[in-house]
Amino acid sequence: MAYQLNNVCVNYAHQMALNNVSCTIQEGKWISVIGQTGAGKSTFVKVLKGLIPTINGDYLIHQHPVKKDAKGHLKVIPEIGFVFQYPEHQLFETTVYKELAFALKQQGSSRQQITEAISMILPQLGLSEEVLPLAPFQLSGGQKRRVAIASVMMTEPKLLIVDEPTAGLDPVSREALLQLLKKWQQQEKRTIIFVSHKMDDVATYSDEVIVFHEGQLMGQFDTNHLFLDQSSLLEKIGLPLPEPVQFLKLLEELSGQKIEVASCREQDIFEKVKPLWDSRGLLNV
């Protein structure tokens, strides 16, 4: 089961936003999308959701072409959830309960079904039932973000697109939100498409990474392979390595030896490099 683009092109006012993009999104993975501003990331995820009605090329979901309307335009795909950047700006109901219930009401769910669904989603996002009667503006920034994301999760999307979901959050709130998303993705066996410019977050949470540059797909990589073995590609298109990987590369240069690590994640790198750093008398922790 997969989402597949074949030779997809998108033009905006005679400017190529996506150029001949082909890729496959397998279900059950956390897939990050990276690239410089204007690289094509936002256009790519909007195509996946069906928010761009006219594209050149083919878009298949589970080996079937996506549905089109009478004019041949792509339809918005309901099984894909989309959390825009600063999603709390989209909160519009007078209470948190009404905000969470809105989508299910539109689908015809009963009050009991809605209440049960809300009771299940709140603990997944670290929220208590005490927030339900509150107006969204009474919540903290991190709570608003989680309510906004919960309102999308309520529809039980097969694939969830999150566009810079941690923008503007403090480090503690950012980490808490990403851990909650990862837990949901793993427990529910769902797919997350994560658009981000924070390479440390990409390295920590991703199974795969899709890289864009000037509208072109530069590749779809295993996360460890990209950051540990393809640093020249990232340098070429002006993207930084995650800080732990930068530290690893520095130590390899200083020691003159290749340091084998289990992954590009911070803890795995630290466990390998600390003995070497200690032996040089440079690290005391």
Side-chain angles (χ1 to χ4, degrees), residues 24 26 29-32 206-210 220-223:
T24 300
Q26 298 289 349
K29 293 185 175 183
W30 180 302
I31 302 175
S32 292
S206 308
D207 299 304
E208 295 180 359
V209 184
I210 292 174
Q220 183 172 353
F221 302 90
D222 170 82
T223 306

Side-chain angles (χ1 to χ4, degrees), residues 106-140:
Q106 302 306 305
Q107 295 175 0
S109 298
S110 68
R111 185 175 181 85
Q112 181 178 347
Q113 289 172 323
I114 291 171
T115 299
E116 290 175 354
I118 290 175
S119 296
M120 290 180 64
I121 199 71
L122 287 178
Q124 291 186 49
L125 286 169
L127 296 169
S128 72
E129 294 190 359
E130 294 177 355
V131 304
L132 294 177
L134 300 179
F137 72 83
Q138 293 178 272
L139 305 178
S140 69

Side-chain angles (χ1 to χ4, degrees), residues 18 30 52-54 56 59 73 88 124 149-150 163 168 205 214 226 230 258 285:
L18 290 182
W30 180 302
I52 296 178
T54 304
N56 294 317
Y59 182 10
H73 294 163
E88 62 272 21
Q124 291 186 49
I149 291 173
D163 187 357
Y205 293 97
E214 295 182 350
L226 174 64
Q230 295 291 323
K258 176 73 173 176
V285 294

Side-chain angles (χ1 to χ4, degrees), residues 152-168:
V152 177
M153 287 183 174
M154 294 288 291
T155 63
E156 298 186 341
K158 302 294 184 187
L159 183 153
L160 178 65
I161 298 169
V162 286
D163 187 357
E164 298 282 4
T166 63

Side-chain angles (χ1 to χ4, degrees), residues 154-203:
M154 294 288 291
T155 63
E156 298 186 341
K158 302 294 184 187
L159 183 153
L160 178 65
I161 298 169
V162 286
D163 187 357
E164 298 282 4
T166 63
L169 295 183
D170 62 81
V172 174
S173 297
R174 187 184 91 242
E175 186 67 19
L177 178 57
L178 290 174
Q179 289 183 4
L180 289 166
L181 285 171
K182 188 65 176 180
K183 184 177 180 181
W184 174 81
Q185 179 248 328
Q186 292 178 327
Q187 289 185 343
E188 302 296 325
K189 296 180 172 59
R190 302 300 170 91
T191 307
I192 283 183
I193 302 294
F194 175 63
V195 181
S196 181
H197 68 278
K198 293 185 179 296
M199 296 300 124
D200 288 11
D201 293 342
V202 172

